[in-house]
Amino acid sequence: MYPDNTPNVPVQRAVEVHQPTPLPPAVTVSAPVVPVQPDSVPAVASVVLPDGRVVTGYAINPAQPEPVVAKPPVSRTAVNVALGGVGFLAVCGGLLLLTTFITALTALITQLITLAAVVFGGWIAVQVFGASGHKGGNTFNIRKAVFKRNHFNG
C-alpha cells in the first residue's frame, strides 16, 4: 500500500509516442571532380607501433604557411600624399612668383607712364612758355625810324 492508503493497483496511463519528423534531404550540388595527377608519387611510410603492429601509408606533408610578402617600409598611400604635397607647394610657389612678377610689372608700367607724362609735359611747357623761336609779325628798330607829319616811315 501507498502512504495515502491506496491499494497497489497499477494505474494505466496513456502512452505518448513521439516520432521524429524526418528532414528532407539537403540538395547538394557538387562540383565535377577532375582527376589530378600528382607531380610525383609520394613515398610510402611504415610505422611500427609499440604493440608490434605495422601501419603503412603515405606521408602527409604538413601545410606550409603562405610566405609573407615583404611590405615596403612606407606605404604607397603615404608616398602619394607626400608627392601631392610637394606638387602643391611647387604650384603655390609658382603662383607666388607669378603674382610678384605681375605686381612688379604693374609698378614698372606705372613708372614709365609717369616718366612719359613728366617728359612730354615738360616739352610742351617749353614750347608754350619758351622765349626762343620766331613769334611772327614785323620787327622794327625804333631808333632808326623817322617820323614825318605823323606818318611813320620805317
Side-chain angles (χ1 to χ4, degrees):
M1 290 207 47
Y2 289 109
D4 59 354
N5 295 328
T6 57
N8 287 340
V9 179
V11 178
Q12 290 193 349
R13 295 185 182 156
V15 178
E16 294 180 21
V17 178
H18 296 283
Q19 295 290 335
T21 306
L23 296 175
V27 178
T28 58
V29 177
S30 62
V33 178
V34 177
V36 177
Q37 297 296 328
D39 294 339
S40 63
V41 177
V44 177
S46 296
V47 177
V48 178
L49 298 176
D51 62 355
R53 292 182 296 164
V54 177
V55 178
T56 305
Y58 293 107
I60 298 174
N61 295 331
Q64 297 292 330
E66 291 289 326
V68 178
V69 178
K71 291 184 179 179
V74 180
S75 70
R76 288 184 177 213
T77 304
V79 171
N80 290 339
V81 168
L83 289 176
V86 169
F88 181 73
L89 287 178
V91 168
C92 287
L95 289 176
L96 181 63
L97 289 176
L98 182 64
T99 55
T100 305
F101 174 74
I102 291 172
T103 304
L105 186 64
T106 304
L108 175 68
I109 292 172
T110 304
Q111 289 177 358
L112 288 176
I113 290 173
T114 305
L115 179 65
V118 168
V119 169
F120 187 67
W123 181 76
I124 291 176
V126 167
Q127 294 298 318
V128 170
F129 297 114
S132 64
H134 186 64
K135 297 273 185 186
N138 295 326
T139 303
F140 296 98
N141 190 349
I142 298 178
R143 291 183 189 163
K144 296 182 182 179
V146 178
F147 290 94
K148 293 182 181 181
R149 296 186 200 158
N150 293 330
H151 184 29
F152 179 75
N153 293 319

